[in-house]
Amino acid sequence: MEEPDREAVATAVQRVAGMLQRPDQLDKVEQYRRREARKKASVEARLKAAIQSQLDGVRTGLNQLHNALNDVKDIQQSLADVSKDWRQSINTIESLKDVKDAVVQHSQLAAAVENLKNIFSVPEIVKETQDLIEQGNLLHAHRKLMDLECSRDDLMYEQFRTDSKNTHERNLIQNYFGEVQHLSEELAKQLWMVIQRAITTVRKDPTLLVSVVRIIEREEKIDRRMMDRKKQTTFIPPGRPKKWKEKMFDVLEKTIVTRIEGSQADTRESDKMWLVRHLEITRRYMLEDLIIVKNLMVQCYPPHYNIFNQVLDSYHQALSSRIQELASEELEANEIVSLLTWVLNTYQSSDMMGNIDLVPEVDVKSVRPLLSQEVVDQLLHMYMATLRSNIIGWLRKALETDKKDWDRNTEPEADQDGYYQTTLPAIVFQMFEQNLQVAAQISEDLKKKVLQLCLQQMNTFLNRYSEEAQLYKEEHLKNRQLPACYVQYMIAIINNCQTFKESIVSLKRKYLKNDEDMQMTSTVTMDSTLNNIANDGCNSLLDEVFIDLEQHLNDLLTRKWLGGSNSVDTICVTIEDYFNDFAKIKTHYKQEMTIKAHRKVVTEYVKAIMQKRIAFRNADERKDGAERMIREAEQFKFLFKRLASGFSEETDGLCNTIIDIAEVIKLTDPSLLYLEVSTLVSRYPDLRDDHIAALLAVRGDASREMKQMIIETVEQSQRHQSPNYTPIFKDIILSTIHRLPALYSENKLLSSQLAYAIEEFSRATNSQQNPDYIVQVFVYEPQSIPFYIEKPT
C-alpha cells in the first residue's frame, strides 16, 4: 500500500501546485477544498454502490448453488429407487410374455375385424371401381381404390409385424387383392390421358384437371406416409411409392415433345417453305399453350407445383432438342437463315417469349438460348459457304442470260431517262439486297460479312463481265453485220457500268452505318474495272465510227481531195449519224466519246497532212489547199460544238491546229517560213523535226538547204509547254528516212542525188496511202544507190 499512497500524494501535490501558481489563487483555497471534497464524496458513493452490487450478486449465486445441490441429491435418490424397482420387475416382465402375444393377436384380429367388410366385398368394390373409371368419375374411383389399398396394406403390415419371414401368407393376401394393382394402373392411364390433353381440357372442363391433380396429391401424401413407415419398420406395400407427380411431369414433357415434332406438316420435297411453316406452327402452338397455362392451368395446380415454369422449361428443352436436330441436318442456305432468324430473333421477340401476355412470368433477359454459340457459328459458317457458292452460280446465270440478250434483233430497254440498259444490274443487286436483308435479320456482324462477300464476288464478276464484253466486240468485228443491235447493246453495257457504280455506293450506304466500315469495304478495284469496261466500250463504239470513215480519212490531203472531194462532208455526216445513235448513252460517257472523237478526227487530219500524201506544185495549189483546210477545220468546229451541246467542251483548240498548219502552207513568201514554223513550234511544243520536215515537204517549194536550216534552228530554240496544253503531235508517228551522214560530207553530188531520190520515192509511196512503211537507203558503192521498203518493227 505504500507505493500507491506515495503516488497518490505525488499526484495531489502536483495538482495543488497547478492550482496555486499565482498569489491571487490563495484567495480561492477554500473554494478548491470544497470542490475536492465534493468529488471525493462522489467517488466514495460510487465505490460503495459498486461493492454493494457485487455483494448482492455473490449472495444470489450462492443461494442458487445451494438449491442446485439439493436438486442433484433428490435426482440421485430417484435414480436409485428406479434402479431398485427395475431389478425387482425383471422376473415380472418374463412372466408377461403370454400377455404380449395376446396383445399382438388382438391387434391383428382388430385389424381383420375392421377390414372384414372390405375383405369380403373386394370383388364387388373392384367392379364398382372399374365402372367408375370407365365412366370418368375419377375421384370416386380413386376413393374406392384407396379403401382397397388401405385394407390390403393394413393386413400385409400386420402380417409383416407378426412374422416378417412368412412369405406364404403375404403372397396369399397380395393375390387376393391382385386386381387392386390393375385398377391402379387403369386409373393412372386415365390420369395420363387427361394430362396429355391438359391444354384442351383446362379450357373445356377444368374440374376434370383439378380432380386429376387432387388424386395425384392424395397419392403423394400416401407415398410420403409409407416412406416414413418404411424408415421405422422397413415395410413397404407393393407398388409404392407410385411417384405419380413425377410421372405426371414426364407425361407432360413427352406430350410437349410430341406436339413440337408433330408441328412439321411438310417436307422439303413437298414444300420448299417447309421449315418456315414448321417454325411458325411451333411458335403459334408454344405461345398459345403458355398463355393458357399462365391464365387457366395455373389455377388448377397447387402453388408448390410451379406448373408454369415446369411447362416453360419443358417447352424450352423440347424446342432446343428439336432445333438441334434441325441444325444437324443438311440445310440449304435459305433454311439456315430461317432457322437462325427464328432462334436468335423471333424466339425472344414480342411474337413469342417477349409477348405481353406472358409478362411478368417470362423475363426475356433471362431466357436461355436455344442453340449454343458453337452450333450457331457452325451454321453461320455453313451459310456463308453455301451463300458464296449460290452467289457465284447466280451471277454466272445472270451473265449468261444477259449475253443471250446481246444477240437479239430488238433494241434493249431504256430506263426512265431514256438511256439503254439491260436487266443485269437490277438482277444482281436485287439478289444482293435480298441476301443482305435476310442477313440483317440475323445479326449486324453477319450483315457485314455478307456485304463483304457480295462485294468480293462482284469484283470477280466484273472481271468476267469485262472479258465477255471484249469477246462480244471481237465476234462483231468478224462480221460487222451481226449482231444487228451491236451498237445499242454496247451502249447498254456502258450504261450498266454507271448503274453498277451507283448501286454499289447505295448498297454500302444502306448497310454500313459508319465511316470506318465504309473504308474497310473499299471499292477502288471495282470502280477501276467498271471504268475500264466503260472506256473499252466507248472505244469500241468509236472504232465502229472510224472503221466506216477509214476510206474517207485516207482521201484527205490527196490530189483527189484537192480536186474537190467531199470526204469531210461525208465524215461529218457519218459522225453525226453515229452520235445520234449514241444519244441513249449516259451523258458523261457521251461527253468522253465526243472528246475522243473530236481528238481522233483532228489527229487523223493532221496525220494526213504529215504523211505527205500531196506536195503542192505552186502557190495557187497551196492557197487552195490551205483555204480548204481552214474551211474543213471550221466545219469540224461546227460539228463538235453541236455534238457537245449540253456540256462544256472546248472545240476550237484542236481544230485551230489544222488552221495553224494551213497558215504555214498558205504562206506565199518562203523567206518567212522560219518565222511561221517557229510560231507553230511555240504553240505546239510536241512538234518534232520529222513533222516540220513533212510539213515543208507538203508545201513543195522549200529547198533542202532551207529545210535543214529551219530544222536545225528550231532544234536550238527553247520550247515551253503550257500546263494546260494537251499534246497532239506526240500521237502522230510518221515514216522515217535514214540517211548516211558520210554521203553529205564526202560526195555532195551523190548526196544531192540520194536526197532527191528518197524524197521522190517517199512522196510516191505516201501518195499511195502506205504511211506505215519506212524507206531505208543503203549505199554499198558510190555509183549505185540501191534501196528497199521495210515495215517498221
Side-chain angles (χ1 to χ4, degrees):
M1 293 295 293
E2 295 180 358
E3 186 65 26
D5 290 342
R6 283 197 299 272
E7 291 179 359
V9 170
T11 302
V13 170
Q14 186 175 2
R15 289 188 63 188
V16 170
M19 288 185 292
L20 302 176
Q21 292 181 354
R22 298 189 304 275
D24 59 329
Q25 291 178 331
L26 293 176
D27 297 337
K28 299 179 181 180
V29 170
E30 189 62 29
Q31 182 180 349
Y32 292 153
R33 183 181 294 111
R34 286 196 300 270
R35 186 177 65 184
E36 291 302 323
R38 286 195 301 270
K39 287 183 179 180
K40 179 180 177 183
S42 175
V43 171
E44 288 178 351
R46 288 199 301 271
L47 285 174
K48 288 179 181 179
I51 292 172
Q52 185 63 39
S53 175
Q54 290 291 332
L55 290 175
D56 292 342
V58 171
R59 185 180 297 107
T60 301
L62 289 175
N63 291 333
Q64 290 176 349
L65 287 174
H66 180 72
N67 294 334
L69 179 61
N70 293 333
D71 291 340
V72 168
K73 289 179 179 180
D74 292 341
I75 292 171
Q76 186 178 9
Q77 183 62 39
S78 298
L79 287 174
D81 295 340
V82 169
S83 178
K84 181 179 178 181
D85 293 341
W86 177 75
R87 290 190 183 92
Q88 293 175 355
S89 64
I90 290 177
N91 296 329
T92 305
I93 293 172
E94 291 295 332
S95 63
L96 293 176
K97 182 178 181 183
D98 295 337
V99 177
K100 179 181 178 182
D101 294 339
V103 170
V104 173
Q105 187 176 7
H106 178 271
S107 176
Q108 292 175 349
L109 291 174
V113 170
E114 184 180 351
N115 293 287
L116 188 61
K117 182 179 179 181
N118 291 337
I119 292 172
F120 284 112
S121 60
V122 165
E124 181 182 350
I125 297 175
V126 167
K127 188 177 184 308
E128 290 178 0
T129 306
Q130 184 68 45
D131 293 340
L132 289 171
I133 292 174
E134 292 175 356
Q135 294 169 9
N137 196 342
L138 302 181
L139 272 178
H140 288 129
H142 185 251
R143 171 57 62 186
K144 290 186 174 295
L145 177 62
M146 287 173 62
D147 292 341
L148 290 171
E149 288 180 338
C150 183
S151 298
R152 180 198 63 184
D153 296 345
D154 288 346
L155 289 173
M156 293 185 72
Y157 176 66
E158 292 299 332
Q159 187 276 330
F160 177 81
R161 285 205 309 166
T162 304
D163 187 2
S164 60
K165 296 181 180 180
N166 189 346
T167 57
H168 174 72
E169 292 184 6
R170 189 185 315 149
N171 292 335
L172 183 64
I173 298 172
Q174 190 167 349
N175 291 335
Y176 185 75
F177 287 91
E179 289 297 319
V180 175
Q181 184 64 30
H182 175 70
L183 288 176
S184 178
E185 293 172 357
E186 287 295 319
L187 180 61
K189 289 181 182 179
Q190 295 299 318
L191 299 182
W192 308 148
M193 289 177 62
V194 174
I195 294 299
Q196 288 172 355
R197 298 193 297 268
I199 301 297
T200 305
T201 303
V202 76
R203 288 184 291 183
K204 296 181 179 180
D205 187 10
T207 57
L208 180 58
L209 182 60
V210 172
S211 298
V212 171
V213 176
R214 288 179 61 187
I215 292 170
I216 293 172
E217 272 294 279
R218 289 175 183 174
E219 290 295 334
E220 286 294 303
K221 290 179 181 178
I222 296 172
D223 280 348
R224 288 194 293 271
R225 188 169 68 248
M226 292 302 166
M227 294 304 295
D228 292 340
R229 188 166 66 179
K230 180 184 177 183
K231 293 178 182 178
Q232 298 174 0
T233 65
T234 71
F235 172 77
I236 187 76
R240 293 289 177 184
K242 292 184 179 181
K243 298 182 179 179
W244 277 7
K245 180 180 177 181
E246 182 179 331
K247 290 181 181 178
M248 179 200 70
F249 285 120
D250 290 341
V251 170
L252 199 58
E253 184 175 339
K254 290 177 181 178
T255 302
I256 291 172
V257 171
T258 304
R259 186 164 174 78
I260 290 176
E261 292 178 349
S263 62
Q264 182 176 342
D266 303 291
T267 61
R268 183 183 290 112
E269 291 73 20
S270 62
D271 187 356
K272 292 294 183 183
M273 301 297 290
W274 68 275
L275 183 58
V276 175
R277 289 170 55 84
H278 178 31
L279 294 173
E280 175 57 21
I281 293 173
T282 300
R283 182 199 68 80
R284 190 169 66 249
Y285 281 177
M286 183 173 177
L287 181 59
E288 291 175 355
D289 290 354
L290 289 176
I291 291 175
I292 291 171
V293 172
K294 173 179 178 288
N295 296 331
L296 300 176
M297 200 166 168
V298 168
Q299 302 173 15
C300 300
Y301 283 82
H304 65 272
Y305 273 58
N306 197 14
I307 190 64
F308 180 81
N309 288 332
Q310 290 287 349
V311 173
L312 179 62
D313 290 343
S314 298
Y315 250 118
H316 179 85
Q317 186 61 39
L319 189 57
S320 179
S321 300
R322 180 57 182 157
I323 296 297
Q324 290 278 2
E325 292 177 7
L326 292 172
S328 63
E329 297 180 7
E330 294 183 2
L331 298 176
E332 297 178 356
N334 61 321
E335 294 170 349
I336 294 174
V337 168
S338 299
L339 185 64
L340 287 176
T341 302
W342 198 89
V343 168
L344 300 178
N345 297 327
T346 304
Y347 184 63
Q348 297 184 356
S349 70
S350 59
D351 293 331
M352 202 167 177
M353 303 307 291
N355 192 282
I356 191 172
D357 292 330
L358 297 179
V359 177
E361 279 76 2
V362 177
D363 183 6
V364 177
K365 296 180 181 179
S366 62
V367 173
R368 292 169 294 166
L370 291 172
L371 289 176
S372 65
Q373 188 60 43
E374 182 181 358
V375 176
V376 171
D377 292 341
Q378 290 175 357
L379 285 174
L380 289 174
H381 178 74
M382 187 189 309
Y383 170 70
M384 291 299 293
T386 306
L387 182 61
R388 181 181 292 104
S389 176
N390 289 346
I391 289 177
I392 293 172
W394 291 332
L395 291 175
R396 185 186 299 113
K397 184 177 180 180
L399 183 55
E400 291 298 326
T401 303
D402 205 56
K403 282 171 55 183
K404 291 178 182 178
D405 293 342
W406 297 352
D407 295 328
R408 293 193 308 178
N409 294 326
T410 56
E411 294 182 356
E413 298 177 355
D415 61 12
Q416 66 272 16
D417 297 321
Y419 299 126
Y420 282 140
Q421 65 174 5
T422 67
T423 57
L424 182 62
I427 292 173
V428 169
F429 282 93
Q430 183 180 6
M431 175 190 65
F432 287 168
E433 184 81 19
Q434 290 173 352
N435 284 284
L436 284 166
Q437 288 176 356
V438 168
Q441 294 176 2
I442 299 176
S443 68
E444 185 72 17
D445 183 60
L446 180 63
K447 181 188 71 175
K448 293 179 182 179
K449 289 181 179 179
V450 171
L451 178 59
Q452 190 70 29
L453 174 63
C454 290
L455 295 179
Q456 289 173 356
Q457 295 305 319
M458 185 66 187
N459 193 26
T460 305
F461 166 76
L462 289 178
N463 291 328
R464 178 64 178 164
Y465 190 52
S466 175
E467 294 172 1
E468 292 297 339
Q470 184 63 29
L471 290 174
Y472 184 55
K473 172 188 174 183
E474 293 173 1
E475 288 297 320
H476 169 70
L477 292 177
K478 293 177 182 179
N479 183 357
R480 294 186 63 222
Q481 302 302 318
L482 298 175
C485 296
Y486 168 78
V487 171
Q488 289 82 355
Y489 277 98
M490 184 56 73
I491 290 174
I493 291 172
I494 296 169
N495 289 339
N496 284 349
C497 294
Q498 180 63 25
T499 306
F500 277 127
K501 280 186 179 181
E502 294 171 354
S503 299
I504 291 170
V505 172
S506 175
L507 207 64
K508 289 176 62 178
R509 287 177 178 172
K510 183 174 181 180
Y511 290 99
L512 296 178
K513 302 303 182 183
N514 54 62
D515 296 336
E516 183 179 351
D517 292 335
M518 293 281 284
Q519 293 174 0
M520 290 176 63
T521 54
S522 175
T523 57
V524 174
T525 305
M526 281 186 285
D527 290 343
S528 176
T529 303
L530 288 168
N531 288 336
N532 292 336
I533 295 172
N535 288 335
D536 291 343
C538 292
N539 292 335
S540 299
L541 293 177
L542 290 177
D543 289 344
E544 285 289 300
V545 178
F546 285 96
I547 288 174
D548 289 345
L549 295 179
E550 183 176 4
Q551 183 59 43
H552 302 291
L553 291 172
N554 289 337
D555 289 341
L556 294 175
L557 273 294
T558 62
R559 287 288 168 185
K560 179 181 177 182
W561 168 80
L562 188 61
S565 168
N566 60 352
S567 296
V568 170
D569 295 335
T570 305
I571 290 170
C572 290
V573 170
T574 303
I575 291 175
E576 188 169 10
D577 182 57
Y578 265 104
F579 270 81
N580 287 333
D581 294 339
F582 298 161
K584 294 191 176 182
I585 193 171
K586 291 188 176 180
T587 305
H588 63 284
Y589 292 130
K590 185 178 179 182
Q591 180 180 0
E592 292 177 6
M593 288 182 63
T594 303
I595 295 172
K596 289 181 179 179
H598 187 186
R599 182 176 180 84
K600 178 73 172 177
V601 168
V602 173
T603 301
E604 290 297 324
Y605 198 99
V606 174
K607 186 184 291 184
I609 299 172
M610 297 301 175
Q611 286 175 347
K612 299 177 289 185
R613 298 175 184 176
I614 188 174
F616 297 113
R617 297 170 180 168
N618 52 54
D620 292 335
E621 285 190 357
R622 285 191 290 275
K623 179 181 178 183
D624 293 342
E627 290 177 350
R628 187 177 181 87
M629 291 166 63
I630 292 171
R631 287 197 304 273
E632 291 173 348
E634 295 295 335
Q635 202 170 343
F636 287 143
K637 280 185 182 181
F638 179 76
L639 169 66
F640 286 104
K641 278 183 178 178
R642 190 162 65 251
L643 294 181
S645 61
F647 51 86
S648 59
E649 162 61 18
E650 178 58 44
T651 59
D652 293 344
L654 288 170
C655 292
N656 286 340
T657 305
I658 300 174
I659 297 174
D660 291 340
I661 293 174
E663 293 295 336
V664 175
I665 295 174
K666 186 178 179 181
L667 186 66
T668 56
D669 187 356
S671 63
L672 299 177
L673 269 177
Y674 168 71
L675 294 176
E676 286 294 334
V677 171
S678 299
T679 303
L680 192 65
V681 171
S682 65
R683 292 178 182 173
Y684 306 99
D686 59 326
L687 191 69
R688 299 191 303 273
D689 295 349
D690 54 345
H691 296 143
I692 298 172
L695 180 57
L696 295 176
V698 170
R699 275 186 59 88
D701 64 341
S703 64
R704 181 177 56 80
E705 289 79 5
M706 181 180 293
K707 293 179 185 177
Q708 188 69 19
M709 183 269 294
I710 291 174
I711 292 172
E712 290 177 356
T713 306
V714 169
E715 284 181 349
Q716 296 174 2
S717 63
Q718 294 183 353
R719 305 188 186 192
H720 301 284
Q721 183 169 320
S722 171
N724 298 326
Y725 173 70
T726 303
I728 186 172
F729 288 95
K730 72 173 185 177
D731 297 329
I732 301 175
I733 308 300
L734 302 179
S735 56
T736 58
I737 302 176
H738 299 278
R739 294 185 176 86
L740 298 178
L743 294 177
Y744 292 94
S745 59
E746 297 177 358
N747 193 330
K748 294 183 179 180
L749 176 61
L750 182 58
S751 62
S752 176
Q753 294 173 348
L754 178 60
Y756 178 76
I758 289 172
E759 290 177 6
E760 287 298 319
F761 185 80
S762 176
R763 186 179 298 111
T765 55
N766 289 334
S767 66
Q768 297 173 10
Q769 290 82 45
N770 294 316
D772 293 334
Y773 287 86
I774 299 176
V775 180
Q776 294 184 336
V777 181
F778 299 90
V779 178
Y780 298 97
E781 299 178 4
Q783 292 81 12
S784 62
I785 310 177
F787 55 86
Y788 63 91
I789 302 173
E790 179 182 344
K791 259 187 175 293
T793 59

